[in-house]
Amino acid sequence: MTGVLSAIELAYWQQTTIRLLAGLVAVLLLTGGVVYLYLFKFVSFMQSRLGPMEAGPYGSLQLLAEVGKWIQKEDISTKDADKFIFGLAPAVVLVSTFLMFVVIPAGPNAVMADLGTGIYYVLAISSLSVIGILMAGWASANKYALMGALRAGGQLIAYELPLVLGVLGVVIQAGSLNLQDIVYAQSNGEIFGISAIGNPYILTQFVAFAIFMIAVQAELTQTPFDMPIAESELVAGYQVEYSGIRFLVYFIAEFATAVGFAAIASTLFLGGWALPASWGFSDTAMHVIGPINVSIKAVFLVGVVFWVRFTFPRFREDQLQRLAWKGLIPLALANIVVTAILKVVF
Amino acid sequence: MANPLSDYLRSFLTVGLFAALAVVLFFLLVGISALLRPDRHQEQKYIAYESGADPIGSMWSQSQVRYYIFALLFVMFDVEAVFIFPWATQLEWFGTFGLIEMFVFIGILLLGLVYAWRKGVLKWA
């Protein structure tokens, strides 16, 4: 089987077409699955109700019904709105979200583009979505939208730093920015000479993991950090004037970003697609196990994000800024220093 | 035939192609929706939403950005991160020299944060 497969040489465009389409399908399937699993069912069970039950078995086709509904809605923008920017803003958010997935590895070969700058590229591209949000808030010509967008801008900027500085701990340990290298470093690693479970960085970088997950919660503007879209004060923030298909695009982007950050967190901290090298699985087996492995980890981490979202009340805007600047950033810097010392000493 | 592009540039071409795919997906969704959705004009539909009451004043309103100073701090720390990343990948090679060098760097930046903190910049204005 392997012999046959490796004998087939695909041209660049063939390979790329397969990779891009497979990536697109994976992103949309995972996003849809996460919406059904957590937003429809998980939260319903937490609140002692059943959630959607009508469309398909246990309401599993509810999401398709919702998409069908949104597609038929009229596309309205306000009189004063800057129509061009207003229409384009969701596309900026969607592109920034999709580009996060390009470098996430799902197997020895299953990565769309194996960039040397890997994690750095992800952090850069994911912060582009704030431009789309500011565009939306400004072009809507609505007071709520403008305030929501400004809050989103302040929040995404403040939590960008803990995110970046938290990741640095992992980069120091792995000695590389490439996500594939980071996965192999965890798979081949050992803790005090014991290599039975490799070295998933959640064990040695648990401070960085906690900082990363808190910052991700804020970057996703999920409760308790959902001031930009607080429904009780700002109605829906920058989304208030959006309807129909363009709102759906924001919705897809929000949950795809959740999946993307969870996949990156599982790659950086939980070992990604790889199993510990000492378990002795061949590359051939990992082609099949890898994507399943990283998907399960990512979906689990999205579950943690949603668990927090549906459990905690909302922070105030100044509490949010205080937590980032006086709590997480000094902590992340301390983590870098300690990691660096230990790396040089050992 | 030799590759016209290096592998390095090709991987960025892939990134560009995926971005194009996302744009195509967006316009596909909007296009399908444009075929299916109704379009019934009513003046009231295009009034900005202000909790159900008639909106007051111009819609191009201004808002006080209370945390603009955070943006300045953000630039400072983001540039710091740009410098730390290459250092972090080569730490093994730099050894103790690199370690002390970076402590000085992070220390100066921390001084900046402490100064801003003491000045009360990090408080809600």
Side-chain angles (χ1 to χ4, degrees):
Chain A
M1 182 69 186
T2 333
V4 177
L5 274 183
S6 55
I8 304 171
E9 275 280 322
L10 291 175
Y12 168 76
W13 66 269
Q14 290 168 317
Q15 245 185 47
T16 309
T17 313
I18 293 172
R19 282 187 174 165
L20 293 188
L21 290 180
L24 189 67
V25 169
V27 172
L28 292 178
L29 271 183
L30 275 175
T31 307
V34 157
V35 170
Y36 169 71
L37 193 62
Y38 295 119
L39 194 68
F40 289 167
K41 286 299 181 186
F42 185 69
V43 62
S44 302
F45 292 157
M46 280 175 81
Q47 297 166 347
S48 301
R49 57 191 175 88
L50 287 174
M53 291 295 283
E54 295 294 327
Y58 296 98
S60 51
L61 299 180
Q62 181 68 30
L63 190 62
L64 286 181
E66 302 272 355
V67 172
K69 181 188 77 179
W70 270 317
I71 277 184
Q72 298 171 52
K73 293 282 182 190
E74 196 173 343
D75 191 22
I76 301 172
S77 56
T78 53
K79 255 193 317 246
D80 298 335
D82 186 335
K83 300 261 179 343
F84 179 68
I85 305 285
F86 184 82
L88 213 60
V92 174
V93 177
L94 190 74
V95 169
S96 137
T97 300
F98 271 42
L99 284 181
M100 279 171 66
F101 288 90
V102 171
V103 289
I104 300 173
N109 254 330
V111 53
M112 277 187 256
D114 196 16
L115 299 183
T117 43
I119 184 61
Y120 192 71
Y121 158 86
V122 169
L123 295 169
I125 213 86
S126 68
S127 55
L128 284 184
S129 66
V130 69
I131 296 173
I133 289 171
L134 284 172
M135 278 163 71
W138 180 246
S140 292
N142 181 308
K143 287 160 195 156
Y144 289 133
L146 180 60
M147 261 187 259
L150 287 176
R151 281 190 187 186
Q155 174 170 338
L156 296 188
I157 276 180
Y159 281 86
E160 181 81 18
L161 289 173
L163 200 71
V164 172
L165 297 176
V167 164
L168 267 166
V170 170
V171 173
I172 290 172
Q173 256 201 312
S176 172
L177 294 170
N178 185 307
L179 285 172
Q180 207 63 288
D181 288 349
I182 293 176
V183 168
Y184 282 120
Q186 293 177 74
S187 164
N188 298 324
E190 49 187 37
I191 306 167
F192 300 124
I194 303 164
S195 59
I197 54 164
N199 182 13
Y201 288 148
I202 188 175
L203 297 177
T204 46
Q205 288 289 330
F206 53 92
V207 178
F209 180 69
I211 294 169
F212 190 84
M213 288 311 284
I214 294 171
V216 161
Q217 193 89 16
E219 290 277 312
L220 294 171
T221 61
Q222 302 283 19
T223 325
F225 304 102
D226 67 336
M227 290 69 99
I229 50 169
E231 69 278 1
S232 51
E233 356 179 330
L234 290 178
V235 198
Y238 60 91
Q239 299 168 347
V240 67
E241 291 296 352
Y242 281 90
S243 61
I245 192 69
R246 291 181 210 277
F247 180 78
L248 177 69
V249 170
Y250 276 122
F251 189 85
I252 295 173
E254 178 184 345
F255 288 91
T257 315
V259 174
F261 272 121
I264 288 157
S266 52
T267 303
L268 290 180
F269 296 101
L270 302 181
W273 56 265
L275 294 170
S278 54
W279 293 8
F281 283 95
S282 69
D283 261 10
T284 321
M286 287 318 295
H287 283 304
V288 181
I289 302 172
I292 302 171
N293 191 8
V294 72
S295 302
I296 290 174
K297 286 170 181 169
V299 169
F300 170 75
L301 283 183
V302 179
V304 174
V305 169
F306 276 79
W307 186 10
V308 173
R309 165 178 173 162
F310 292 122
T311 309
F312 283 90
R314 183 181 302 137
F315 280 151
R316 236 175 28 229
E317 186 72 29
D318 61 324
Q319 290 171 330
L320 165 119
Q321 297 286 356
R322 201 170 63 211
L323 176 66
W325 290 100
K326 298 186 181 172
L328 294 179
I329 291 174
L331 190 65
L333 285 173
N335 183 54
I336 292 173
V337 169
V338 172
T339 310
I341 292 175
L342 291 178
K343 171 91 178 181
V344 169
V345 168
F346 287 108
Chain B
M1 195 181 85
N3 283 340
L5 284 175
S6 65
D7 283 348
Y8 174 78
L9 281 177
R10 270 193 168 173
S11 54
F12 277 98
L13 181 62
T14 314
V15 174
L17 288 175
F18 200 60
L21 196 63
V23 173
V24 167
L25 181 76
F26 174 75
F27 283 106
L28 200 70
L29 279 172
V30 173
I32 294 173
S33 169
L35 294 176
L36 291 176
R37 69 189 174 218
D39 197 12
R40 300 195 189 90
H41 282 279
Q42 272 181 329
E43 271 307 300
Q44 294 92 328
K45 274 185 190 169
Y46 309 111
I47 300 172
Y49 178 79
E50 271 193 40
S51 306
D54 284 343
I56 298 168
S58 161
M59 285 304 97
W60 291 104
S61 56
Q62 295 178 330
S63 178
Q64 186 196 358
V65 183
R66 286 167 183 268
Y67 36 75
Y68 74 96
I69 203 88
F70 289 138
L72 296 177
L73 278 175
F74 169 76
V75 172
M76 181 181 101
F77 274 93
D78 224 29
V79 171
E80 173 197 4
V82 170
F83 283 117
I84 295 185
F85 265 106
W87 165 81
T89 57
Q90 296 299 326
L91 181 58
E92 197 116 87
W93 186 75
F94 282 136
T96 318
F97 165 72
L99 200 63
I100 293 163
E101 193 73 49
M102 192 45 66
F103 283 171
V104 175
F105 185 62
I106 291 179
I108 291 172
L109 276 156
L110 265 180
L111 273 182
L113 184 66
V114 169
Y115 178 72
W117 196 331
R118 292 281 298 167
K119 272 287 204 182
V121 176
L122 299 182
K123 267 215 300 278
W124 195 243

